[in-house]
Amino acid sequence: MTTRDAGPSGALRVAPSILAADFGSLAAAVRDIDAETDWLHVDVMDGHFVPNVSIGPPVVHSLRRYSTRFFDCHLMMTEPGRYLEAFAKAGADGCTVHVEVGGTAALIADARSLGLRVGLAANPDTPFTKVAPYLGDIDLLLLMTVFPGFGGQSFLGDVMPKVNEARREVDAHDLALDIEVDGGIDLTTAPIAVEAGANVLVAGSAIFGQPVPLEAAHELRAAALSVRS
Ligand code: DX5
Ligand code: ZN
């Protein structure tokens, strides 16, 4: 994988979520975890689509100086279209928008025209039928395994049939699409999600909330790989 390359679709990837890192020393947190980072997951919350506020393009811009990894930006925003260009300019590599906010086809086209890798996210209670029409136009399908807004929540196993449905669809049509899960992913739940068909694992608390994040990420990868081998 070359610098800032997303890598081959379908390959197992670990995406540490900086939401669980110490925002007072983000650069150090990102550097310390670098060897186990396939993608760096950046959670953007607007206080409207979700009841929390996090970070935006200036932080992406600053972190770009400390990491050559693929920046996987998860836009939990009611109006992501207003900010796609700012994220692209700041150094985002991929941007994921939520299907629940609507205007999906235009958002995908806008993100694509900015040279971004394009992701579409669905909340736990959003059915697969809502994202299915777009699978041929996106690079990443993010199936939330918690209701977005906060780190440290419990994994919702009820989402696994949807992950499996997506995997069957991707395989049946040989789509170049990554399936990402986000929320409550840890040593116990990562193998469950991979078994169901996910190949990108976002983890915040299970990595940055541990005494040695680098080791925790390494263990998470090993747990996930044990299912695929
Ligand atoms: C939740 C965010 C997640 C969050 C995951 O709204 O989208 O990326 O950081 O945190 P953990 O891994 O702690 O559940
Ligand atoms: Zn996220």
Side-chain angles (χ1 to χ4, degrees):
M1 195 185 296
T2 57
T3 296
R4 293 182 61 177
D5 190 333
S9 293
L12 183 83
R13 295 192 195 81
V14 173
S17 167
I18 59 170
L19 187 67
D22 177 358
F23 280 9
S25 49
L26 262 189
V30 166
R31 275 190 306 218
D32 288 350
I33 196 78
D34 186 68
E36 290 291 343
T37 302
D38 296 313
W39 293 358
L40 193 72
H41 188 79
V42 180
D43 283 309
V44 179
M45 302 176 179
D46 68 352
H48 190 263
F49 180 69
V50 290
N52 197 6
V53 176
S54 60
I55 55 176
V59 175
V60 170
H61 178 73
S62 294
L63 285 180
R64 207 56 285 180
R65 289 169 48 209
Y66 301 96
S67 173
T68 59
R69 300 294 176 182
F70 183 91
F71 281 9
D72 170 39
C73 297
H74 176 194
L75 308 187
M76 288 163 272
M77 313 178 84
T78 303
E79 295 191 82
R82 291 177 60 186
Y83 303 93
L84 287 171
E85 188 172 1
F87 279 104
K89 283 187 174 156
D93 298 299
C95 279
T96 296
V97 299
H98 270 262
V99 72
E100 295 84 8
V101 302
T104 301
L107 287 169
I108 293 171
D110 286 356
R112 188 73 71 201
S113 73
L114 289 163
L116 292 162
R117 204 167 185 272
V118 186
L120 186 63
N123 283 343
D125 59 353
T126 297
F128 182 67
T129 50
K130 295 282 185 200
V131 293
Y134 306 103
L135 296 188
D137 304 321
I138 57 175
D139 305 301
L140 170 78
L141 178 66
L142 166 52
L143 296 174
M144 292 303 300
T145 41
V146 296
F147 283 89
F150 300 92
Q153 303 181 77
S154 296
F155 176 82
L156 297 172
D158 291 359
V159 177
M160 292 307 99
K162 185 164 58 174
V163 173
N164 196 247
E165 197 175 357
R167 173 54 60 199
R168 279 187 272 116
E169 194 70 11
V170 166
D171 290 350
H173 300 282
D174 208 15
L175 299 173
L177 185 72
D178 289 302
I179 300 176
E180 181 177 62
V181 283
D182 181 5
I185 299 297
D186 59 21
L187 290 175
T188 305
T189 59
I192 296 170
V194 172
E195 186 79 52
N199 71 286
V200 185
L201 303 172
V202 175
S205 311
I207 294 179
F208 289 111
Q210 304 306 309
V212 185
L214 189 67
E215 279 175 18
H218 184 79
E219 284 171 21
L220 191 72
R221 183 188 303 280
L225 281 172
S226 70
V227 176
R228 285 171 66 110
S229 58

